[in-house]
Amino acid sequence: MLSLTDTPLSAIKFDDRIYQVNLAFDTVIKYLELAESDEPNQEKKAIRLFFGDQKLPLDPDFFESSFKLINETITKAPYQSNSSMNFGMQIAPQQLYSYRQDADAIYASFLMQYHIDLLKERGKMHWCVFRALFDGLSEDTPIQRIIELRQKNLTDVPDEQRGKVMQLQQYYALKLKKPKTEEDVFNNSSLSSAFASLMNTAKGG
């Protein structure tokens, strides 16, 4: 969630040292895709995505606290009630869009409304800025038209248009498995044990 007074998360302090965190929108999208996948060594790949080649402390507490903060930054939305906020928000909310499958539409929407070329913003635009702009896209943009189409109830469509709308829904249907929640993939206990194992391996050479 974007703040007008606070700088978006870009570094984490641990034991009086500062570690840079890469939260560019394209990095976060790669992380979310990784979290949905069944790839091996997810923890190592996630660490590399966000921290690059920095020398990190061999302390599971560092990784657990860091990823809690990263996940909170990624998933926190401005209009959630305090009681509903958690790390279990689905990666693709209600399965209405996919950053991978809808990449063309998202790119075209940013270019159309904001005159922003997302390809030129890779590695630069912070996730919180990207999400604020994404959420502000108008109903006339390609991605919002696709989302509206996917949500359309065919019973509300006039008979003469129903066939065409059904064809469009089939054409734009998401080709996704049921998304995992971030809580499923990076819940506190499994994250802690996974990183503990990773750190023990690292200590052993």
Side-chain angles (χ1 to χ4, degrees):
M1 185 177 71
L2 190 66
S3 170
L4 297 180
T5 56
D6 298 325
T7 302
L9 179 68
S10 61
I12 290 175
K13 186 176 182 180
F14 186 82
D15 284 348
D16 296 324
R17 293 195 61 181
I18 301 297
Y19 301 92
Q20 299 302 311
V21 183
N22 178 1
L23 281 177
F25 78 94
D26 52 309
T27 298
V28 174
I29 290 174
K30 289 177 183 176
Y31 167 67
L32 298 181
E33 290 175 351
L34 175 65
E36 282 187 312
S37 75
D38 296 319
E39 289 186 36
N41 301 317
Q42 286 185 335
E43 295 83 11
K44 289 183 180 180
K45 292 176 182 178
I47 292 169
R48 177 61 63 88
L49 278 174
F50 291 121
F51 294 101
D53 295 325
Q54 295 178 83
K55 187 175 181 180
L56 303 175
L58 298 178
D59 187 338
D61 289 342
F62 167 77
F63 295 102
E64 184 171 344
S65 60
S66 294
F67 274 81
K68 278 184 180 179
L69 185 56
I70 289 169
N71 279 339
E72 181 181 44
T73 301
I74 292 171
T75 61
K76 193 172 183 180
Y79 303 112
Q80 289 175 312
S81 66
N82 290 332
S83 61
S84 67
M85 286 200 224
N86 56 61
F87 297 122
M89 188 186 87
Q90 289 189 338
I91 290 167
Q94 300 177 30
Q95 295 196 42
L96 295 180
Y97 59 88
S98 161
Y99 291 118
R100 177 182 291 275
Q101 189 175 333
D102 294 321
D104 287 359
I106 294 171
Y107 175 86
S109 299
F110 272 69
L111 197 60
M112 173 182 170
Q113 180 162 322
Y114 304 120
H115 308 292
I116 292 175
D117 184 337
L118 285 177
L119 296 184
K120 295 180 179 178
E121 292 297 324
R122 287 182 297 189
K124 295 187 291 185
M125 181 185 288
H126 195 281
W127 169 257
C128 292
V129 175
F130 171 82
R131 277 304 318 184
L133 295 175
F134 186 100
D135 292 340
L137 289 170
S138 75
E139 61 184 13
D140 296 325
T141 55
I143 186 60
Q144 290 296 353
R145 292 202 302 268
I146 290 173
I147 290 173
E148 181 183 5
L149 177 67
R150 286 172 179 157
Q151 296 182 91
K152 193 177 289 292
N153 189 334
L154 289 174
T155 60
D156 297 330
V157 178
D159 293 343
E160 63 274 14
Q161 299 177 18
R162 194 168 298 156
K164 181 179 180 181
V165 171
M166 186 180 300
Q167 285 183 330
L168 288 171
Q169 284 185 333
Q170 291 173 349
Y171 179 79
Y172 288 108
L174 289 173
K175 302 175 180 67
L176 297 174
K177 302 175 185 177
K178 183 179 179 181
K180 300 175 183 178
T181 64
E182 292 180 10
E183 187 174 19
D184 290 336
V185 182
F186 293 110
N187 65 71
N188 292 347
S189 59
S190 65
L191 182 65
S192 179
S193 61
F195 282 124
S197 174
L198 178 62
M199 290 305 102
N200 287 334
T201 301
K203 289 176 183 178

